Amino acid sequence: MKHQKIRLIIVIVFVLIAALAIWYFTPTTFLSEVNPSDIRCISVFDGNTGERFDFSDAEEIRYVVENIQSTRMKKDTLSIGYMGYRFRISFFDENGKEIESFIINSSDTIRKDPFFYRCDGDLCFDYLKELEEKYSS
């Protein structure tokens, strides 16, 4: 009887560890359930300059959303306790309700607490810098 309980506990621990490993290593796709046409405005705050800009052009929104949706991100390290960021980006629907929000730190890094997510450098980071120049001027 005692050996069966120990075996059961070992099996449960193993299953939990396996499930956690699968969850951690499964790639994440941001905005996966969002249609670009459902987004009316994107708001971006540049943590380096303190500038904030919004854009609502349908083609610019489509480009940013589809770029993010097509990039598979992998969990990297914990982001809790880290300060500073480059672009905090928020997506709003036609009613002004925030759909999603996260931080794009570089062309290969998204921060959405409690993790940093990494990819192979395909994010629209440079495009956001161009939009910042366009809308902040």
Side-chain angles (χ1 to χ4, degrees), residues 16-54:
L16 287 174
I17 290 172
L20 253 168
I22 290 169
W23 170 78
Y24 182 82
F25 290 108
T26 300
T28 300
T29 303
F30 288 91
L31 302 172
S32 61
E33 312 242 340
V34 175
N35 186 333
S37 63
D38 293 338
I39 296 175
R40 295 292 177 245
C41 177
I42 296 177
S43 181
V44 181
F45 180 81
D46 186 332
N48 287 353
T49 65
E51 295 287 325
R52 179 179 164 270
F53 65 96
D54 300 335

mmCIF file of all heavy atoms in Angstrom, residues 16-54:
data_model
loop_
_atom_site.group_PDB
_atom_site.id
_atom_site.type_symbol
_atom_site.label_atom_id
_atom_site.label_comp_id
_atom_site.label_asym_id
_atom_site.label_seq_id
_atom_site.Cartn_x
_atom_site.Cartn_y
_atom_site.Cartn_z
ATOM 1 N N LEU A 16 3.387 16.267 -14.165
ATOM 2 C CA LEU A 16 3.413 17.725 -13.997
ATOM 3 C C LEU A 16 4.663 18.341 -14.618
ATOM 4 O O LEU A 16 4.584 19.375 -15.291
ATOM 5 C CB LEU A 16 3.313 18.094 -12.517
ATOM 6 C CG LEU A 16 1.942 17.907 -11.878
ATOM 7 C CD1 LEU A 16 2.014 18.169 -10.378
ATOM 8 C CD2 LEU A 16 0.918 18.810 -12.535
ATOM 9 N N ILE A 17 5.807 17.715 -14.405
ATOM 10 C CA ILE A 17 7.058 18.223 -14.991
ATOM 11 C C ILE A 17 6.991 18.150 -16.512
ATOM 12 O O ILE A 17 7.388 19.093 -17.205
ATOM 13 C CB ILE A 17 8.269 17.452 -14.432
ATOM 14 C CG1 ILE A 17 8.485 17.825 -12.967
ATOM 15 C CG2 ILE A 17 9.524 17.734 -15.250
ATOM 16 C CD1 ILE A 17 9.527 16.985 -12.254
ATOM 17 N N ALA A 18 6.480 17.054 -17.051
ATOM 18 C CA ALA A 18 6.353 16.916 -18.508
ATOM 19 C C ALA A 18 5.400 17.976 -19.073
ATOM 20 O O ALA A 18 5.694 18.598 -20.097
ATOM 21 C CB ALA A 18 5.872 15.519 -18.864
ATOM 22 N N ALA A 19 4.267 18.191 -18.411
ATOM 23 C CA ALA A 19 3.310 19.203 -18.876
ATOM 24 C C ALA A 19 3.919 20.596 -18.834
ATOM 25 O O ALA A 19 3.736 21.395 -19.763
ATOM 26 C CB ALA A 19 2.040 19.144 -18.032
ATOM 27 N N LEU A 20 4.645 20.907 -17.777
ATOM 28 C CA LEU A 20 5.319 22.209 -17.661
ATOM 29 C C LEU A 20 6.358 22.380 -18.763
ATOM 30 O O LEU A 20 6.475 23.466 -19.349
ATOM 31 C CB LEU A 20 5.993 22.330 -16.294
ATOM 32 C CG LEU A 20 5.308 23.264 -15.312
ATOM 33 C CD1 LEU A 20 5.878 23.087 -13.922
ATOM 34 C CD2 LEU A 20 5.376 24.683 -15.763
ATOM 35 N N ALA A 21 7.119 21.347 -19.046
ATOM 36 C CA ALA A 21 8.142 21.422 -20.098
ATOM 37 C C ALA A 21 7.498 21.648 -21.460
ATOM 38 O O ALA A 21 7.966 22.475 -22.250
ATOM 39 C CB ALA A 21 8.989 20.153 -20.106
ATOM 40 N N ILE A 22 6.423 20.926 -21.736
ATOM 41 C CA ILE A 22 5.724 21.109 -23.012
ATOM 42 C C ILE A 22 5.190 22.539 -23.107
ATOM 43 O O ILE A 22 5.350 23.201 -24.134
ATOM 44 C CB ILE A 22 4.587 20.076 -23.164
ATOM 45 C CG1 ILE A 22 5.182 18.687 -23.367
ATOM 46 C CG2 ILE A 22 3.649 20.448 -24.313
ATOM 47 C CD1 ILE A 22 4.181 17.560 -23.271
ATOM 48 N N TRP A 23 4.570 23.041 -22.051
ATOM 49 C CA TRP A 23 4.042 24.410 -22.051
ATOM 50 C C TRP A 23 5.158 25.432 -22.273
ATOM 51 O O TRP A 23 5.010 26.358 -23.059
ATOM 52 C CB TRP A 23 3.327 24.679 -20.723
ATOM 53 C CG TRP A 23 2.966 26.117 -20.534
ATOM 54 C CD1 TRP A 23 1.919 26.775 -21.093
ATOM 55 C CD2 TRP A 23 3.670 27.077 -19.741
ATOM 56 N NE1 TRP A 23 1.924 28.091 -20.694
ATOM 57 C CE2 TRP A 23 2.991 28.296 -19.856
ATOM 58 C CE3 TRP A 23 4.808 27.012 -18.955
ATOM 59 C CZ2 TRP A 23 3.421 29.446 -19.211
ATOM 60 C CZ3 TRP A 23 5.224 28.159 -18.305
ATOM 61 C CH2 TRP A 23 4.533 29.357 -18.440
ATOM 62 N N TYR A 24 6.285 25.243 -21.591
ATOM 63 C CA TYR A 24 7.374 26.215 -21.673
ATOM 64 C C TYR A 24 8.009 26.240 -23.066
ATOM 65 O O TYR A 24 8.313 27.300 -23.597
ATOM 66 C CB TYR A 24 8.446 25.909 -20.617
ATOM 67 C CG TYR A 24 9.571 26.916 -20.612
ATOM 68 C CD1 TYR A 24 9.426 28.122 -19.948
ATOM 69 C CD2 TYR A 24 10.760 26.683 -21.303
ATOM 70 C CE1 TYR A 24 10.442 29.064 -19.945
ATOM 71 C CE2 TYR A 24 11.781 27.619 -21.308
ATOM 72 C CZ TYR A 24 11.608 28.801 -20.626
ATOM 73 O OH TYR A 24 12.608 29.740 -20.648
ATOM 74 N N PHE A 25 8.189 25.088 -23.678
ATOM 75 C CA PHE A 25 8.893 25.018 -24.955
ATOM 76 C C PHE A 25 7.984 25.148 -26.175
ATOM 77 O O PHE A 25 8.481 25.246 -27.294
ATOM 78 C CB PHE A 25 9.719 23.728 -25.043
ATOM 79 C CG PHE A 25 10.894 23.741 -24.110
ATOM 80 C CD1 PHE A 25 10.901 22.956 -22.969
ATOM 81 C CD2 PHE A 25 11.981 24.580 -24.336
ATOM 82 C CE1 PHE A 25 11.974 22.984 -22.091
ATOM 83 C CE2 PHE A 25 13.052 24.616 -23.468
ATOM 84 C CZ PHE A 25 13.053 23.812 -22.339
ATOM 85 N N THR A 26 6.683 25.190 -25.980
ATOM 86 C CA THR A 26 5.761 25.387 -27.098
ATOM 87 C C THR A 26 5.826 26.852 -27.534
ATOM 88 O O THR A 26 5.675 27.753 -26.715
ATOM 89 C CB THR A 26 4.325 25.030 -26.682
ATOM 90 O OG1 THR A 26 4.297 23.663 -26.279
ATOM 91 C CG2 THR A 26 3.356 25.254 -27.826
ATOM 92 N N PRO A 27 6.054 27.097 -28.831
ATOM 93 C CA PRO A 27 6.122 28.485 -29.304
ATOM 94 C C PRO A 27 4.813 29.238 -29.071
ATOM 95 O O PRO A 27 3.731 28.659 -29.094
ATOM 96 C CB PRO A 27 6.391 28.343 -30.803
ATOM 97 C CG PRO A 27 6.968 26.988 -30.963
ATOM 98 C CD PRO A 27 6.339 26.146 -29.898
ATOM 99 N N THR A 28 4.946 30.542 -28.871
ATOM 100 C CA THR A 28 3.812 31.422 -28.631
ATOM 101 C C THR A 28 3.622 32.329 -29.838
ATOM 102 O O THR A 28 4.589 32.821 -30.414
ATOM 103 C CB THR A 28 4.080 32.291 -27.381
ATOM 104 O OG1 THR A 28 4.276 31.430 -26.265
ATOM 105 C CG2 THR A 28 2.933 33.237 -27.105
ATOM 106 N N THR A 29 2.379 32.540 -30.223
ATOM 107 C CA THR A 29 2.060 33.487 -31.287
ATOM 108 C C THR A 29 1.200 34.585 -30.676
ATOM 109 O O THR A 29 0.098 34.316 -30.195
ATOM 110 C CB THR A 29 1.305 32.793 -32.437
ATOM 111 O OG1 THR A 29 2.089 31.720 -32.930
ATOM 112 C CG2 THR A 29 1.021 33.772 -33.562
ATOM 113 N N PHE A 30 1.697 35.800 -30.699
ATOM 114 C CA PHE A 30 0.949 36.927 -30.160
ATOM 115 C C PHE A 30 -0.109 37.368 -31.166
ATOM 116 O O PHE A 30 0.087 37.285 -32.368
ATOM 117 C CB PHE A 30 1.892 38.085 -29.823
ATOM 118 C CG PHE A 30 2.733 37.806 -28.611
ATOM 119 C CD1 PHE A 30 3.976 37.220 -28.739
ATOM 120 C CD2 PHE A 30 2.274 38.099 -27.341
ATOM 121 C CE1 PHE A 30 4.756 36.944 -27.621
ATOM 122 C CE2 PHE A 30 3.032 37.831 -26.222
ATOM 123 C CZ PHE A 30 4.282 37.252 -26.364
ATOM 124 N N LEU A 31 -1.231 37.855 -30.651
ATOM 125 C CA LEU A 31 -2.357 38.336 -31.454
ATOM 126 C C LEU A 31 -2.948 37.246 -32.346
ATOM 127 O O LEU A 31 -3.542 37.547 -33.386
ATOM 128 C CB LEU A 31 -1.940 39.539 -32.315
ATOM 129 C CG LEU A 31 -1.396 40.756 -31.582
ATOM 130 C CD1 LEU A 31 -0.856 41.775 -32.571
ATOM 131 C CD2 LEU A 31 -2.462 41.381 -30.708
ATOM 132 N N SER A 32 -2.800 35.999 -31.964
ATOM 133 C CA SER A 32 -3.216 34.890 -32.825
ATOM 134 C C SER A 32 -4.719 34.872 -33.099
ATOM 135 O O SER A 32 -5.149 34.395 -34.137
ATOM 136 C CB SER A 32 -2.783 33.558 -32.220
ATOM 137 O OG SER A 32 -3.388 33.369 -30.959
ATOM 138 N N GLU A 33 -5.514 35.394 -32.209
ATOM 139 C CA GLU A 33 -6.967 35.347 -32.363
ATOM 140 C C GLU A 33 -7.546 36.687 -32.838
ATOM 141 O O GLU A 33 -8.752 36.892 -32.783
ATOM 142 C CB GLU A 33 -7.606 34.963 -31.028
ATOM 143 C CG GLU A 33 -6.955 33.776 -30.382
ATOM 144 C CD GLU A 33 -7.890 32.618 -30.206
ATOM 145 O OE1 GLU A 33 -9.097 32.848 -30.226
ATOM 146 O OE2 GLU A 33 -7.391 31.500 -30.059
ATOM 147 N N VAL A 34 -6.670 37.561 -33.334
ATOM 148 C CA VAL A 34 -7.103 38.907 -33.702
ATOM 149 C C VAL A 34 -7.072 39.065 -35.219
ATOM 150 O O VAL A 34 -6.100 38.705 -35.875
ATOM 151 C CB VAL A 34 -6.176 39.964 -33.049
ATOM 152 C CG1 VAL A 34 -6.528 41.354 -33.528
ATOM 153 C CG2 VAL A 34 -6.250 39.876 -31.544
ATOM 154 N N ASN A 35 -8.132 39.623 -35.751
ATOM 155 C CA ASN A 35 -8.175 39.967 -37.161
ATOM 156 C C ASN A 35 -7.701 41.421 -37.276
ATOM 157 O O ASN A 35 -8.212 42.287 -36.568
ATOM 158 C CB ASN A 35 -9.605 39.827 -37.676
ATOM 159 C CG ASN A 35 -9.708 40.016 -39.162
ATOM 160 O OD1 ASN A 35 -8.899 40.700 -39.782
ATOM 161 N ND2 ASN A 35 -10.719 39.408 -39.744
ATOM 162 N N PRO A 36 -6.736 41.719 -38.159
ATOM 163 C CA PRO A 36 -6.248 43.102 -38.264
ATOM 164 C C PRO A 36 -7.350 44.132 -38.497
ATOM 165 O O PRO A 36 -7.247 45.263 -38.025
ATOM 166 C CB PRO A 36 -5.285 43.053 -39.455
ATOM 167 C CG PRO A 36 -4.822 41.636 -39.509
ATOM 168 C CD PRO A 36 -5.996 40.817 -39.046
ATOM 169 N N SER A 37 -8.423 43.741 -39.175
ATOM 170 C CA SER A 37 -9.508 44.700 -39.438
ATOM 171 C C SER A 37 -10.310 45.029 -38.177
ATOM 172 O O SER A 37 -11.058 46.003 -38.159
ATOM 173 C CB SER A 37 -10.442 44.159 -40.528
ATOM 174 O OG SER A 37 -11.070 42.978 -40.087
ATOM 175 N N ASP A 38 -10.158 44.221 -37.118
ATOM 176 C CA ASP A 38 -10.848 44.501 -35.855
ATOM 177 C C ASP A 38 -10.122 45.545 -35.013
ATOM 178 O O ASP A 38 -10.653 46.019 -34.024
ATOM 179 C CB ASP A 38 -10.996 43.218 -35.032
ATOM 180 C CG ASP A 38 -11.924 42.223 -35.691
ATOM 181 O OD1 ASP A 38 -12.757 42.644 -36.520
ATOM 182 O OD2 ASP A 38 -11.803 41.022 -35.384
ATOM 183 N N ILE A 39 -8.909 45.885 -35.395
ATOM 184 C CA ILE A 39 -8.119 46.870 -34.656
ATOM 185 C C ILE A 39 -8.278 48.230 -35.326
ATOM 186 O O ILE A 39 -8.063 48.378 -36.518
ATOM 187 C CB ILE A 39 -6.633 46.452 -34.597
ATOM 188 C CG1 ILE A 39 -6.518 45.149 -33.811
ATOM 189 C CG2 ILE A 39 -5.788 47.550 -33.960
ATOM 190 C CD1 ILE A 39 -5.142 44.565 -33.786
ATOM 191 N N ARG A 40 -8.684 49.206 -34.541
ATOM 192 C CA ARG A 40 -8.903 50.554 -35.072
ATOM 193 C C ARG A 40 -7.736 51.489 -34.797
ATOM 194 O O ARG A 40 -7.549 52.470 -35.496
ATOM 195 C CB ARG A 40 -10.175 51.157 -34.482
ATOM 196 C CG ARG A 40 -11.421 50.438 -34.880
ATOM 197 C CD ARG A 40 -11.694 50.609 -36.370
ATOM 198 N NE ARG A 40 -12.862 49.835 -36.747
ATOM 199 C CZ ARG A 40 -12.842 48.796 -37.569
ATOM 200 N NH1 ARG A 40 -11.711 48.411 -38.103
ATOM 201 N NH2 ARG A 40 -13.933 48.146 -37.862
ATOM 202 N N CYS A 41 -6.942 51.180 -33.764
ATOM 203 C CA CYS A 41 -5.848 52.077 -33.395
ATOM 204 C C CYS A 41 -4.767 51.276 -32.676
ATOM 205 O O CYS A 41 -5.059 50.345 -31.932
ATOM 206 C CB CYS A 41 -6.372 53.177 -32.483
ATOM 207 S SG CYS A 41 -5.106 54.306 -31.869
ATOM 208 N N ILE A 42 -3.529 51.650 -32.937
ATOM 209 C CA ILE A 42 -2.399 51.103 -32.197
ATOM 210 C C ILE A 42 -1.692 52.279 -31.539
ATOM 211 O O ILE A 42 -1.404 53.287 -32.184
ATOM 212 C CB ILE A 42 -1.429 50.332 -33.105
ATOM 213 C CG1 ILE A 42 -2.126 49.105 -33.718
ATOM 214 C CG2 ILE A 42 -0.186 49.894 -32.320
ATOM 215 C CD1 ILE A 42 -1.269 48.308 -34.682
ATOM 216 N N SER A 43 -1.440 52.153 -30.245
ATOM 217 C CA SER A 43 -0.755 53.182 -29.485
ATOM 218 C C SER A 43 0.616 52.657 -29.087
ATOM 219 O O SER A 43 0.730 51.528 -28.604
ATOM 220 C CB SER A 43 -1.569 53.540 -28.243
ATOM 221 O OG SER A 43 -0.916 54.554 -27.510
ATOM 222 N N VAL A 44 1.636 53.468 -29.308
ATOM 223 C CA VAL A 44 3.009 53.057 -29.024
ATOM 224 C C VAL A 44 3.668 54.107 -28.138
ATOM 225 O O VAL A 44 3.601 55.299 -28.427
ATOM 226 C CB VAL A 44 3.830 52.885 -30.329
ATOM 227 C CG1 VAL A 44 5.244 52.438 -30.025
ATOM 228 C CG2 VAL A 44 3.147 51.914 -31.282
ATOM 229 N N PHE A 45 4.294 53.654 -27.068
ATOM 230 C CA PHE A 45 5.065 54.542 -26.202
ATOM 231 C C PHE A 45 6.521 54.102 -26.278
ATOM 232 O O PHE A 45 6.834 52.934 -26.051
ATOM 233 C CB PHE A 45 4.576 54.481 -24.755
ATOM 234 C CG PHE A 45 5.342 55.387 -23.835
ATOM 235 C CD1 PHE A 45 5.042 56.732 -23.761
ATOM 236 C CD2 PHE A 45 6.385 54.899 -23.065
ATOM 237 C CE1 PHE A 45 5.759 57.583 -22.929
ATOM 238 C CE2 PHE A 45 7.106 55.733 -22.234
ATOM 239 C CZ PHE A 45 6.799 57.085 -22.164
ATOM 240 N N ASP A 46 7.411 55.035 -26.623
ATOM 241 C CA ASP A 46 8.844 54.752 -26.708
ATOM 242 C C ASP A 46 9.471 55.014 -25.344
ATOM 243 O O ASP A 46 9.543 56.162 -24.897
ATOM 244 C CB ASP A 46 9.491 55.627 -27.777
ATOM 245 C CG ASP A 46 10.941 55.285 -28.031
ATOM 246 O OD1 ASP A 46 11.625 54.775 -27.109
ATOM 247 O OD2 ASP A 46 11.414 55.529 -29.155
ATOM 248 N N GLY A 47 9.906 53.970 -24.692
ATOM 249 C CA GLY A 47 10.500 54.091 -23.369
ATOM 250 C C GLY A 47 11.853 54.773 -23.378
ATOM 251 O O GLY A 47 12.329 55.230 -22.335
ATOM 252 N N ASN A 48 12.505 54.870 -24.550
ATOM 253 C CA ASN A 48 13.799 55.563 -24.641
ATOM 254 C C ASN A 48 13.631 57.077 -24.723
ATOM 255 O O ASN A 48 14.400 57.821 -24.140
ATOM 256 C CB ASN A 48 14.591 55.079 -25.852
ATOM 257 C CG ASN A 48 15.165 53.691 -25.666
ATOM 258 O OD1 ASN A 48 15.094 53.105 -24.594
ATOM 259 N ND2 ASN A 48 15.725 53.147 -26.725
ATOM 260 N N THR A 49 12.630 57.520 -25.481
ATOM 261 C CA THR A 49 12.474 58.960 -25.718
ATOM 262 C C THR A 49 11.349 59.580 -24.890
ATOM 263 O O THR A 49 11.286 60.802 -24.768
ATOM 264 C CB THR A 49 12.170 59.228 -27.202
ATOM 265 O OG1 THR A 49 10.893 58.650 -27.522
ATOM 266 C CG2 THR A 49 13.253 58.674 -28.105
ATOM 267 N N GLY A 50 10.425 58.759 -24.408
ATOM 268 C CA GLY A 50 9.267 59.281 -23.699
ATOM 269 C C GLY A 50 8.171 59.763 -24.635
ATOM 270 O O GLY A 50 7.158 60.290 -24.197
ATOM 271 N N GLU A 51 8.350 59.549 -25.935
ATOM 272 C CA GLU A 51 7.355 59.958 -26.932
ATOM 273 C C GLU A 51 6.280 58.887 -27.072
ATOM 274 O O GLU A 51 6.560 57.689 -27.003
ATOM 275 C CB GLU A 51 8.015 60.170 -28.301
ATOM 276 C CG GLU A 51 9.010 61.303 -28.343
ATOM 277 C CD GLU A 51 8.342 62.657 -28.316
ATOM 278 O OE1 GLU A 51 7.250 62.807 -28.886
ATOM 279 O OE2 GLU A 51 8.925 63.577 -27.708
ATOM 280 N N ARG A 52 5.052 59.339 -27.299
ATOM 281 C CA ARG A 52 3.938 58.442 -27.552
ATOM 282 C C ARG A 52 3.321 58.829 -28.884
ATOM 283 O O ARG A 52 3.187 60.010 -29.201
ATOM 284 C CB ARG A 52 2.895 58.572 -26.446
ATOM 285 C CG ARG A 52 1.694 57.691 -26.642
ATOM 286 C CD ARG A 52 0.716 57.891 -25.466
ATOM 287 N NE ARG A 52 -0.575 57.369 -25.818
ATOM 288 C CZ ARG A 52 -1.553 58.053 -26.406
ATOM 289 N NH1 ARG A 52 -1.381 59.322 -26.703
ATOM 290 N NH2 ARG A 52 -2.689 57.492 -26.685
ATOM 291 N N PHE A 53 2.967 57.828 -29.680
ATOM 292 C CA PHE A 53 2.277 58.101 -30.930
ATOM 293 C C PHE A 53 1.230 57.019 -31.174
ATOM 294 O O PHE A 53 1.351 55.901 -30.703
ATOM 295 C CB PHE A 53 3.255 58.209 -32.112
ATOM 296 C CG PHE A 53 3.991 56.934 -32.440
ATOM 297 C CD1 PHE A 53 3.532 56.080 -33.432
ATOM 298 C CD2 PHE A 53 5.152 56.591 -31.762
ATOM 299 C CE1 PHE A 53 4.207 54.914 -33.728
ATOM 300 C CE2 PHE A 53 5.844 55.436 -32.064
ATOM 301 C CZ PHE A 53 5.369 54.584 -33.052
ATOM 302 N N ASP A 54 0.193 57.416 -31.886
ATOM 303 C CA ASP A 54 -0.888 56.505 -32.254
ATOM 304 C C ASP A 54 -0.985 56.480 -33.766
ATOM 305 O O ASP A 54 -0.697 57.482 -34.422
ATOM 306 C CB ASP A 54 -2.228 56.984 -31.695
ATOM 307 C CG ASP A 54 -2.241 57.090 -30.189
ATOM 308 O OD1 ASP A 54 -1.459 56.382 -29.537
ATOM 309 O OD2 ASP A 54 -3.030 57.899 -29.654
#
